[in-house]
Amino acid sequence: MIRTRTSRRRLAAAVVAVLAATGTGLTTPATATGAPAATPSAAPAATAAPAVVPYPTGRVHLVGAGTTGFMTWTVDDRGPHAVWTRHSDGRRHEPWPGDDLVTVARASDVAVRVTRDEYVTLRDMTTDQDVLSFSSRVAGRDGRYAGAVGRTVLVKVPNASGGHDVHLISRGDGGGLANRTVTGLPKDARDPLVRQGTSDTALLTYFTGTGEGERRHWATVDLASAALTRTALLPGDPNAQPVLALSAKHVARLEFSARGAATAVVTERSSATAPRRIALPLGVDSVGLVGDWLTYAQSRGYEERNPSPAYAVTARHLGNGTTRKLMDDMTLSAAAPGGALAVQGGTIDGGEGLYRIVPGTGGVPAVTRVASSGLSTRVTLLGHDIPKVVDLDRTGGRFTMVWRLSRSEVEMRVKIRNTRTGEALSDNVLPLNVPEYDPHAAPYTWEGRLTWNGTPDLWTGASGGPYTWEITAKPLNGIGPELRSSGSFTVTRRPGLHDYDADGSPDVLSRDTAGRLWIGDTFPSLYGDQLDQNPGLLVGSGWQVYDRIEAAGNLGGTGVSDVVARDRSGVLWLYRGTGDAKVPLSGRTRIGGGWGTYDKLAGGSDLTGDGRPDLVAADRAGALWLHPATGNASAPFGARKRIGGGWGAYNQVTATGNIGGGTAGDLVARDRDGVLWLYLGKGDGTFAPRTRIGGGWGSYGHLVGIGDADRDGRPDLYVSSADGNYTDVALHRGTGDWKRPFRSRSTVAAYMRGDELDRNLYL
C-alpha cells in the first residue's frame, strides 16, 4: 500500500521530498469524501512469528522489506538516515552512514546508495556485500537514478525528443555491466520514476505533453525483455502524487473525484478487459495487492483524533467482493518479495510494529507480526505517580496526578472518591492540551475538592481518609476499547479552626429563628477571587434553648473543631466535632454550671502557647477571664484566671487565631461606636496593649474568626449583616501584618435553598 498524505507531527520536509523523489510512497495528501464503506467480516488475530525483533520507535518510515530484513528511515538530530534490521536476530545497522541517499530496491533485500554525483551502489543485505557499483553516466551523459527493482537499476537519460529514455543497468553474464534501453516507451516520456516492483516487473510513471496538455501515465516494464508491456493514463492533476500498487496479476491505483471520493481502479495485466472500479470507504488513501485481494486503508489512523472505520487495513476479494479486516491501523507499507506486503502499523492484540501480509490458505490474506515497537495499539496504562499518601496541607490543598498512557490522543475521565464519606468528583482530561506536549503524560491537577452533596458546580474540600481513583480513557481515533483502571490512596490533612467536617476548609454554623442549627461549608472559588459558601445542611433542631453558642476549636481531641453552648440556666455544654458533614456534632457533654455570669464568650485561639484552643469570657462587670484548655473532653477547661478589665466597652469579642504574626492567638473586640480593636496575644494568656484597626464595623451583625478561608496561610474574618440575612455575608482576608491585619471586604457567594429561614446567629 502507498499512502498519500503526511502526518502532522512526523518527518521533516526534507524526508518528504526525498521519499517522493525515490518513489517509496510518501506522497502529497489526498482528500476523500463520500464513498460508501464496506462491512468487513471478523478478522483473525495476527500471529506472531517465532522470532519477533524490535521495530524502531520515534519518527520512523518503512522504506522497503525483503525476505531477510527491512529498511526504515529514522529522523533524529542527525537528520534522516537509513537502518537495515535483520529478521533473524534483530541486528540493526546503517548500510552507508552519511548524507547520501540510501533506500532499498523494490521487493528485495538489496540496499541502494546514490551519491550526489550519481554514483550508484547496490548491496545485498543478506550477505552485506556490494553486488553492483557504477555511475549513472554510463547510460548517458546526463543519466540520473530513477529507481531500482531487485538488482536492476533504472536510469533516465534525456533524448532528442525532449523526453527521457530509460536504461536498465544490471550485472551482465560475463560479470560486467549490462546496459539495456527500454523499448515501447514514448519518446516524449519525461521524468520516469519507479513506483512499485515485483521480481520481474517495474511499475513506473512518466509525463507527456506540456502546459494544459500535460498528462501523467503509468507503465509496466518487463525486466527480462526490457520492453514496456502495459501503459495507461492517470487522470486528474498530473502533479498529484499517484497511489499505485503492483502484483503478478494486477495494477491498482486510487482515483479521487472532484468531491474527494476514493475509487480503486484495478487493471488485469494479462487481459485487455476494461479496468474494474471499486468504491472505497471515506478517507482511504492507500491501496495494495496480495494475490487476488485488494487491500486498502487510511494511513496514520494511530495518530488521528477522530474515529473512522477506514483506519483498519481491509482486504477485498477482487472476484466475489468479500471483505476481511486484517489490521487496526497502518502508517506505511511496501511490497515485499513473493507477492507479500509489509505494513508498518498495528493490531489490538499484537501492538504496533511491522506486519507481513501474504496469501494464506485458499489465498486468503494472512497476517504475521515480524517486528514489535513495544507500543500498544490499544490505549494502555504504563504507570502513574500517585503516592500512597497525599498530604494536602503540604501541597497547598492541590495535587497533580500524572498517568502515563501508551498514547495521549485520548479523552479521559477521572473520578476521585472518598470511600469513607462517599463524596466524589468526576472531571474530564484532554492530555493533548498539556502545555508542554508529552505523548504519554495525562496529568490532572486536583484542587483538593469534591462535589458538594452530589450537586454539580458546588464544591467542598476533600477531607482526610481513604480514597480511590478511577480513569476511563477513550481513544480519540476509536481504535481499540476504552482503558479502565483504578487505584487507591490516602489523604491526610490538618483540620483548621471552624472546620467541623475535617476537609481543610472552614465551616460556618448558623441558627435560624426556629432554633435549627445549620452548617454552611465554604470553599475557595474556582471561578474568581471569592469564597463560595454552600447551602446549609441541617445539624439539628432545639438550639433555641441556648443563649450563647461558640466555636471553640479542638477541645475534645477528635482532631476537628468543637462547639460549646450555654443554656439559659448558665450550664455550659460541649458538642464534639465528628469530621462528618452530615453529622458534624456528636451528643452533648455537660461541662459545668455558673457560666451565666458571662455576657461574652470567645473560643478557638491558643492564648497560652500550648497548642490547645482556650476560651475567654467577659463578665457583666467588664472583667475578662481566661479558661485554659486541658485537652480532656470530660473537663475541657482548667481553673479560670482573670486577665483584664474594662471589657464592658465592647459588644462583641472574637477569637481569631494568630492574625498578627506573633507567638500566640489573638482577639479582636468591637466597641459600641463600631471601632474594631486588636489584642495581640503574648503566649502567656495575656495581651499587648490594644491597637485600633479602624471604624465602621458596627454595620456588621456577627464577626466570626473563621480561620484560613482562602488557604493563604493567614486567618481571616467572616462577617454577617446586622439583620441576619444568610446571603449578606463577606470576608476580610488576613494580611499577616498586625498594623493592618485585614484587607477590605471581599465577596462570599452564599447559596441558599428556598426552605431555609432567616438566621439570627453566626459562629
Side-chain angles (χ1 to χ4, degrees):
M1 278 187 283
I2 306 299
R3 74 180 184 84
T4 64
R5 61 177 188 166
T6 61
S7 166
R8 59 195 178 280
R9 290 202 307 269
R10 286 287 182 180
L11 300 184
V15 179
V16 176
V18 175
L19 282 174
T22 57
T24 54
L26 182 62
T27 54
T28 308
T31 303
T33 58
T39 304
S41 59
T47 57
V52 177
V53 301
Y55 194 77
T57 57
R59 297 187 294 170
V60 175
H61 271 295
L62 174 66
V63 179
T67 57
T68 64
F70 57 89
M71 180 178 287
T72 53
W73 275 11
T74 299
V75 174
D76 53 26
D77 294 339
R78 295 168 46 198
H81 53 278
V83 175
W84 181 266
T85 301
R86 197 160 56 192
H87 286 315
S88 61
D89 56 7
R91 177 178 178 262
R92 300 174 59 196
H93 71 288
E94 297 182 40
W96 294 282
D99 297 332
D100 295 327
L101 168 65
V102 178
T103 184
V104 66
R106 297 287 178 173
S108 73
D109 291 89
V110 176
V112 183
R113 178 179 66 176
V114 182
T115 65
R116 287 183 174 84
D117 58 357
E118 285 294 321
Y119 199 86
V120 181
T121 302
L122 302 188
R123 178 173 295 177
D124 187 341
M125 299 307 298
T126 62
T127 61
D128 210 21
Q129 299 294 317
D130 292 350
V131 294
L132 191 65
S133 295
F134 66 95
S135 171
S136 296
R137 306 295 190 259
V138 301
R141 178 178 176 182
D142 295 318
R144 298 184 67 84
Y145 175 79
V149 178
R151 296 191 179 191
T152 301
V153 178
L154 284 77
V155 176
K156 60 182 180 181
V157 180
N159 60 32
S161 301
H164 288 92
D165 295 328
V166 175
H167 292 245
L168 306 184
I169 309 297
S170 59
R171 180 68 64 189
D173 293 337
L177 290 179
N179 180 359
R180 298 170 295 151
T181 302
V182 173
T183 60
L185 192 68
K187 280 298 182 180
D188 63 343
R190 301 189 318 278
D191 296 325
L193 183 66
V194 175
R195 297 292 182 176
Q196 292 292 330
T198 64
S199 60
D200 58 5
T201 304
L203 175 64
L204 53 82
T205 61
Y206 62 88
F207 293 93
T208 61
T210 59
E212 293 184 0
E214 186 178 54
R215 298 290 184 268
R216 202 174 208 172
H217 312 260
W218 64 261
T220 52
V221 176
D222 180 71
L223 299 180
S225 63
L228 186 145
T229 57
R230 194 73 179 263
T231 185
L233 177 68
L234 286 168
D237 182 0
N239 294 312
Q241 292 292 343
V243 185
L244 296 165
L246 175 70
S247 70
K249 296 181 179 181
H250 301 94
V251 175
R253 65 178 175 84
L254 273 187
E255 182 178 295
F256 297 96
S257 70
R259 295 177 55 196
T263 300
V265 182
V266 183
T267 301
E268 290 190 31
R269 292 175 56 185
S270 61
S271 171
T273 58
R276 183 178 310 165
R277 301 178 65 83
I278 302 170
L280 297 179
L282 178 69
V284 166
D285 56 12
S286 60
V287 290
L289 291 164
V290 178
D292 292 324
W293 295 72
L294 174 77
T295 64
Y296 55 85
Q298 178 178 336
S299 61
R300 300 200 183 281
Y302 185 80
E303 302 168 348
E304 290 292 342
R305 301 174 187 179
N306 293 292
S308 171
Y311 301 149
V313 179
T314 303
R316 177 188 174 106
H317 192 270
L318 292 172
N320 58 30
T322 301
T323 60
R324 298 179 67 87
K325 178 181 175 181
L326 304 180
M327 296 174 60
D328 291 289
D329 75 89
M330 64 87 65
T331 299
L332 282 171
S333 66
L341 190 68
V343 180
Q344 176 183 333
T347 67
I348 295 300
D349 295 327
E352 295 296 299
L354 183 66
Y355 289 77
R356 185 179 180 87
I357 303 176
V358 298
T361 303
V364 176
V367 183
T368 302
R369 183 179 55 147
V370 297
S372 172
S373 67
L375 298 176
S376 174
T377 301
R378 69 173 71 215
V379 178
T380 60
L381 179 65
L382 305 178
H384 63 81
D385 69 351
I386 304 172
K388 291 293 184 183
V389 178
V390 176
D391 186 343
L392 285 180
D393 292 317
R394 185 180 60 82
T395 62
R398 65 203 310 261
F399 176 70
T400 298
M401 306 174 177
V402 180
W403 292 268
R404 304 286 297 176
L405 307 181
S406 57
R407 67 176 189 265
S408 59
E409 289 90 353
V410 300
E411 180 181 31
M412 194 167 85
R413 185 81 172 166
V414 176
K415 182 177 181 180
I416 300 169
R417 182 175 182 272
N418 184 322
T419 59
R420 178 178 64 88
T421 66
E423 294 171 323
L425 167 73
S426 294
D427 211 347
N428 293 323
V429 178
L430 287 174
L432 289 172
N433 290 345
V434 177
E436 293 189 8
Y437 175 73
D438 182 331
H440 298 293
Y444 174 70
T445 299
W446 183 38
E447 302 286 348
R449 63 186 171 102
L450 300 169
T451 302
W452 178 84
N453 210 33
T455 305
D457 297 326
L458 292 181
W459 314 112
T460 183
S463 60
Y467 281 76
T468 58
W469 58 261
E470 300 175 12
I471 59 169
T472 302
K474 180 180 179 180
L476 294 177
N477 60 9
I479 297 176
E482 292 182 348
L483 163 67
R484 295 180 179 273
S485 189
S486 61
S488 61
F489 62 100
T490 298
V491 167
T492 62
R493 70 184 322 158
R494 182 180 61 258
L497 185 64
H498 275 262
D499 184 7
Y500 302 104
D501 54 7
D503 65 358
S505 296
D507 306 302
V508 179
L509 294 177
S510 58
R511 185 178 64 185
D512 64 25
T513 53
R516 296 182 298 180
L517 192 68
W518 302 80
I519 180 172
D521 186 54
T522 70
F523 190 80
S525 176
L526 301 178
Y527 310 113
D529 187 23
Q530 67 181 28
L531 184 69
D532 286 347
Q533 181 173 324
N534 292 320
L537 292 178
L538 182 63
V539 176
S541 58
W543 287 78
Q544 69 272 18
V545 302
Y546 302 115
D547 60 6
R548 290 288 185 275
I549 304 174
E550 181 67 23
N554 179 18
L555 295 174
T558 60
V560 293
S561 290
D562 305 320
V563 169
V564 294
R566 186 184 68 187
D567 64 25
R568 301 187 189 282
S569 64
V571 176
L572 195 66
W573 301 85
L574 171 65
Y575 287 86
R576 299 174 69 184
T578 66
D580 184 348
K582 296 180 176 61
V583 187
L585 301 176
S586 64
R588 68 180 187 174
T589 301
R590 190 178 191 274
I591 294 175
W595 290 79
T597 186
Y598 301 123
D599 65 352
K600 302 177 189 70
L601 300 177
S605 284
D606 175 18
L607 304 177
T608 59
D610 61 0
R612 295 190 289 262
D614 305 306
L615 183 72
V616 293
D619 62 25
R620 289 178 172 79
L624 189 67
W625 300 85
L626 170 68
H627 290 265
T630 65
N632 182 356
S634 300
F637 300 116
R640 72 175 186 170
K641 176 183 177 182
R642 189 179 190 276
I643 55 175
W647 289 76
Y650 303 119
N651 58 19
Q652 190 168 161
V653 177
T654 302
T656 60
N658 185 357
I659 62 171
T663 59
D666 308 315
L667 299 179
V668 294
R670 182 180 64 187
D671 65 25
R672 303 186 191 283
D673 294 326
V675 176
L676 194 64
W677 302 86
L678 170 63
Y679 285 85
L680 290 172
K682 294 181 178 180
D684 60 359
T686 65
F687 303 97
R690 70 178 188 173
T691 302
R692 189 180 192 273
I693 293 175
W697 292 81
S699 61
Y700 297 131
H702 294 274
L703 310 179
V704 181
I706 195 173
D708 184 12
D710 59 358
R711 294 184 177 175
D712 65 354
R714 296 184 290 267
D716 306 310
L717 189 66
Y718 178 99
V719 297
S720 69
S721 66
D723 61 5
N725 186 327
Y726 178 62
T727 59
D728 190 4
V729 290
L731 187 72
H732 288 270
R733 302 174 188 270
T735 66
D737 179 3
W738 67 271
K739 296 179 180 178
R740 191 176 62 87
F742 300 117
R743 303 183 189 278
S744 57
R745 63 180 283 158
S746 60
T747 300
V748 174
Y751 300 90
M752 182 175 67
R753 293 192 302 257
D755 62 344
E756 296 176 9
L757 302 180
D758 289 340
R759 312 300 167 85
N760 61 9
L761 177 69
Y762 288 81
L763 56 131

